[in-house]
Amino acid sequence: MTSIKTFEDYKQVYRYSVEQPEAFWSEVATQFVWKKKWDQVLEWNFHKPEVKWFIGGSLNITENCIDRHLPHRASQTALLWEANDPNEPSRRITYQELHDEVCKVANMLKMHGVKKGDRVCIYMPMVPEAAYAILGCARIGAVHSVVFAGFSAGSLSDRINDSNCKAVLTCDGSFRGDKKIDLKGIVDEALKKTPSVEKVIVLERTRGPVTMTEGRDFWWHTEMTKVNAICDAEPMDSEDLLFILYTSGSTGKPKGMVHTCGGYMVHIGYTFQTIFQYREKELYWCTADVGWVTGHSYIVYGPLMNGATSLMFEGIPSWPDMGRFWQVIEKHKVNIFYTAPTAIRSLQNAPLSFVERHDLSSLRLLGSVGEPINEEAWHWYHANIGKDRCDIVDTWWQTETGGFMISPIANVTPMKPAFASFPVPGVQPAVMDEHGHEIEGNGIEGRLTIKFPWPSMARTIYGDHGRFRDTYFSTFSGKYFTGDGCKRDPDGYYRITGRVDDIIIVSGHNLGTAEIESAIDEHHDVVESAVVGFPHDIKGQGVYAFVICYKKPENEDKLRGEIRDTVSKIIGAIAKPDKIQFVSGLPKTRSGKIMRRILRKVAEGDTTNLGDTTTLLDPGVVDEIKNGAL
Ligand code: WT7
């Protein structure tokens, strides 16, 4: 009993999954191709913490994504690629072609000395070859570490070094609207500081000028002619590493979340089918980037495991005009459209004529992910894109969870605007109060934790298991802490209210305030800074920086520009502060801890109700900060 067609089914399956989790997941797992069946479903301890699924099982996820479909889907489109430029022809890659390209990439990696267990960094834009690269690694058991191709050279080298990647797969450049980005130049800069990298394979995309380093750098197209399209899938233990993906932490450097083969496969394959209720021949489009977990799980692995056709889009929603998404839906007759609230809000601000000039009647289902969707955006999306016909699946999950955790089920769960609704079968949320007690019943609010393991959960932080335990398993003993707050309404529907830690979500990108602060502090005029989020109409949250300088800035706007450039250089453009307020001091407690609560209030524009400030070392700075608020 794992398949769901009605809300009654959901309730039954959910109950079963909680009462007999091992039986439930083992039934789900049976629907996949294994080289060897598991001996034991689950072993876990949230105090260590240690979690293992499908112990003793052996599999290769690429056989589930590709080979199993070849007998009946060889000529079906697996990936449909739409270029940045609407005038460039789209590309259809069949399951057979996907097989051949993935095997060739796998052989190319082997030829360059990459072995099972080696880490490979993928720094590529949204081209089909990025999917080949991901699957090519998985084919031979190399661990992929995809780094979003909007990150700076410094962020790239930090991530490469953290996991000692042996090879880098990249492009000469990338297209983004009317801009061209020199990716290879960024890689060259990053590789000055990465001793572990032996080989770089460069795909030609923009044909801009590049410098190739003899013996290290090779062209993708020439290397691919030297290999054949047959490559046996490496048998992987269920708990062997599949990939590492970095996410921001509330303190310190980014965390390399580790995902393993068996559990990830089962959870992602099952949730793609269940939540979207994907039907044969439908065209599915997720607008995320492969550099984020959404791209991994629900552009590449999830759809392919289900024999779906997944649309991959290289461009941006606003170019050549604000109707680009709607034009692509019309052009390809997209059935399922899955995007982020920040994109919806920015398109909602454009004249409705950009929507109305396109035929969106192919749509059956809409999805949302990345941050809480506000009711206004939900209704706009539902009415204008879904024409009041399509359900919206508001999927709550995280890089750490690997796959969907709380979400409506398409055409099954009665919709409630802006509610992520109910837990996915097998997922057991618990809402906690500030004293660490679980709050039972409905009509409540607290911190969201998960009290039982699920197959696609991250197993550790690469190279730092202590940090994994401290970050996720120590706030609430014996439970996984998500970092999010939530409400459970009188009907038991969950609504995610947002982060309760020092992580801010800007345009759906997860950023640690500490990371931005340390980038700002790199500017030679800056003594210290404090960063908080503030509500932003389009981005959800914006970045507000309070900055102390050595001397009073002569030209504040010039210095603001320089600080933004510094952050952009160190982290990437996504982390640039929206507002920079120069201050002479920060509100600190006697023990030196910055009281962010006060800064958050000021950033929100609420300066009347700052709460208790008596424990501050120098309450005087608060007035100055209030008066200078932007
Ligand atoms: C954080 C995780 C999930 C993949 C993309 C982001 C927020 C995500 C929702 C949603 C409310 C959401 C949470 C979460 N978030 N989806 N549907 N409703 N909040 O992955 O970068 O790891 O960020 O994004 O705050 O903790 P991520």
Side-chain angles (χ1 to χ4, degrees):
M1 244 305 269
T2 62
S3 141
I4 297 170
K5 293 282 164 251
T6 65
F7 196 51
E8 278 313 307
D9 290 349
Y10 164 73
K11 288 189 223 161
Q12 252 185 50
V13 172
Y14 185 73
R15 200 175 315 118
Y16 173 49
S17 78
V18 170
E19 284 165 6
Q20 295 181 61
E22 299 193 17
F24 167 77
W25 283 115
S26 139
E27 256 178 71
V28 175
T30 310
Q31 299 155 22
F32 295 79
V33 176
W34 295 80
K35 287 179 184 287
K36 176 182 170 290
K37 202 187 160 184
W38 55 95
D39 308 312
Q40 192 190 331
V41 180
L42 171 65
E43 204 176 281
W44 69 291
N45 174 334
F46 270 2
H47 295 283
K48 279 187 179 172
E50 183 179 85
V51 173
K52 290 181 182 165
W53 282 91
F54 310 112
I55 300 155
S58 165
L59 66 303
N60 188 294
I61 194 167
T62 69
E63 287 190 328
N64 285 273
C65 290
I66 307 171
D67 306 60
R68 76 178 300 183
H69 305 310
L70 293 181
H72 50 291
R73 296 187 196 278
S75 58
Q76 182 197 312
T77 306
L79 296 174
L80 170 56
W81 179 76
E82 173 70 22
N84 175 61
D85 182 342
N87 297 314
E88 187 175 338
S90 23
R91 289 167 61 188
R92 286 181 178 274
I93 296 105
T94 64
Y95 272 93
Q96 184 64 55
E97 286 161 347
L98 182 65
H99 170 272
D100 295 353
E101 294 299 313
V102 167
C103 287
K104 278 159 65 185
V105 170
N107 285 331
M108 170 170 76
L109 290 169
K110 279 194 198 163
M111 182 173 78
H112 283 282
V114 175
K115 297 193 181 61
K116 179 174 181 173
D118 287 343
R119 275 79 56 212
V120 173
C121 174
I122 299 174
Y123 186 70
M124 293 175 85
M126 288 288 285
V127 288
E129 289 81 359
Y132 309 160
I134 288 173
L135 295 164
C137 287
R139 188 80 173 173
I140 61 170
V143 178
H144 56 78
S145 167
V146 183
V147 176
F148 171 58
F151 275 121
S152 66
S155 298
L156 176 59
S157 55
D158 287 348
R159 285 161 176 75
I160 290 174
N161 288 334
D162 185 73
S163 49
N164 289 308
C165 293
K166 191 166 180 181
V168 177
L169 304 180
T170 190
C171 277
D172 51 354
S174 67
F175 294 114
R176 241 188 100 72
D178 57 2
K179 289 199 207 57
K180 241 190 212 185
I181 296 147
D182 172 21
L183 288 188
K184 180 61 167 56
I186 298 172
V187 170
D188 289 340
E189 181 64 31
L191 263 49
K192 288 180 186 160
K193 289 183 251 157
T194 57
S196 62
V197 175
E198 293 169 13
K199 298 289 174 70
V200 180
I201 314 239
V202 187
L203 176 79
E204 195 168 53
R205 173 69 190 121
T206 52
R207 293 165 196 266
V210 296
T211 319
M212 298 292 277
T213 301
E214 179 82 32
R216 186 195 72 181
D217 300 353
F218 299 84
W219 287 106
W220 180 291
H221 59 269
T222 41
E223 298 311 286
M224 288 283 271
T225 60
K226 301 177 188 164
V227 290
N228 67 30
I230 301 161
C231 177
D232 287 342
E234 185 71 28
M236 303 296 288
D237 185 273
S238 287
E239 287 299 331
D240 277 341
L241 269 61
L242 174 63
F243 67 86
I244 301 169
L245 183 60
Y246 288 86
T247 188
S248 299
S250 54
T251 55
K253 57 178 189 171
K255 303 168 290 194
M257 304 315 305
V258 169
H259 286 281
T260 57
C261 296
Y264 179 82
M265 169 178 82
V266 170
H267 193 118
I268 305 313
Y270 176 68
T271 51
F272 176 83
Q273 175 56 51
T274 303
I275 297 307
F276 295 121
Q277 295 279 300
Y278 181 81
R279 301 171 191 163
E280 206 49 40
K281 298 210 164 62
E282 280 188 327
L283 177 60
Y284 161 87
W285 179 17
C286 164
T287 69
D289 191 281
V290 281
W292 311 115
V293 73
T294 313
H296 287 56
S297 300
Y298 298 108
I299 293 177
V300 181
Y301 287 117
L304 296 177
M305 276 191 272
N306 285 283
T309 301
S310 180
L311 191 151
M312 205 175 168
F313 176 51
E314 184 186 33
I316 56 173
S318 54
W319 188 83
D321 64 40
M322 298 297 273
R324 181 66 165 133
F325 273 1
W326 323 129
Q327 180 252 327
V328 174
I329 292 175
E330 175 176 30
K331 175 177 174 190
H332 294 295
K333 303 196 169 41
V334 171
N335 305 112
I336 306 176
F337 178 67
Y338 183 37
T339 194
T342 183
I344 299 165
R345 286 190 300 266
S346 73
L347 298 172
Q348 182 187 347
N349 280 347
L352 206 53
S353 57
F354 283 111
V355 178
E356 286 165 346
R357 69 177 68 135
H358 298 290
D359 174 8
L360 304 182
S361 60
S362 59
L363 289 171
R364 197 252 307 161
L365 177 67
L366 303 174
S368 171
V369 61
E371 60 182 301
I373 181 166
N374 47 308
E375 279 190 55
E376 197 193 342
W378 195 99
H379 286 294
W380 184 86
Y381 194 31
H382 191 255
N384 295 293
I385 307 306
K387 316 288 180 195
D388 293 324
R389 294 183 292 108
C390 303
D391 275 1
I392 299 178
V393 288
D394 175 4
T395 60
W396 175 83
W397 57 297
Q398 309 177 298
T399 305
E400 294 86 339
T401 72
F404 298 153
M405 298 293 279
I406 301 182
S407 174
I409 297 176
N411 313 110
V412 165
T413 309
M415 294 286 126
K416 242 189 218 199
F419 279 78
S421 302
F422 294 106
V424 167
V427 172
Q428 300 188 34
V431 182
M432 311 296 287
D433 68 18
E434 62 272 36
H435 310 295
H437 299 119
E438 180 170 352
I439 318 172
E440 310 268 357
N442 292 336
I444 54 120
E445 177 166 7
R447 314 214 145 183
L448 178 60
T449 67
I450 313 290
K451 60 182 171 188
F452 193 85
W454 62 100
S456 64
M457 66 187 289
R459 302 297 193 258
T460 190
I461 292 174
Y462 193 83
D464 199 347
H465 198 63
R467 187 175 179 199
F468 184 61
R469 185 186 54 236
D470 295 346
T471 309
Y472 302 105
F473 296 90
S474 62
T475 314
F476 299 103
S477 171
K479 298 194 170 63
Y480 167 83
F481 179 40
T482 63
D484 283 318
C486 76
K487 291 181 179 168
R488 192 164 55 216
D489 84 351
D491 301 324
Y493 277 68
Y494 285 84
R495 180 180 190 139
I496 311 300
T497 50
R499 304 287 313 188
V500 295
D501 55 9
D502 289 325
I503 286 178
I504 52 182
I505 302 195
V506 180
S507 299
H509 303 311
N510 189 323
L511 298 167
T513 51
E515 210 185 337
I516 305 175
E517 286 160 6
S518 82
I520 294 174
D521 298 351
E522 290 287 306
H523 190 285
H524 45 76
D525 289 355
V526 173
V527 181
E528 195 186 354
S529 61
V531 164
V532 294
F534 70 97
H536 188 288
D537 286 347
I538 306 279
K539 300 180 179 185
Q541 280 188 296
V543 178
Y544 194 124
F546 298 86
V547 175
I548 308 177
C549 294
Y550 286 102
K551 55 180 193 329
K552 199 173 155 22
E554 278 159 28
N555 182 338
E556 290 200 350
D557 280 339
K558 181 163 165 282
L559 184 55
R560 285 193 181 99
E562 288 175 19
I563 291 174
R564 284 198 186 101
D565 289 346
T566 307
V567 174
S568 185
K569 218 170 131 250
I570 294 175
I571 305 176
I574 48 175
K576 276 197 272 192
D578 298 278
K579 294 184 181 181
I580 299 176
Q581 180 182 348
F582 296 105
V583 295
S584 66
L586 289 166
K588 289 190 181 173
T589 62
R590 273 166 250 267
S591 61
K593 198 171 179 304
I594 296 171
M595 283 180 83
R596 283 163 196 283
R597 176 174 58 75
I598 293 174
L599 297 178
R600 265 186 228 119
K601 285 273 182 201
V602 172
E604 281 164 20
D606 174 8
T607 51
T608 50
N609 177 23
L610 295 182
D612 181 15
T613 56
T614 54
T615 56
L616 288 179
L617 187 61
D618 173 13
V621 303
V622 176
D623 283 329
E624 183 211 316
I625 291 175
K626 265 175 20 184
N627 295 334
L630 300 170

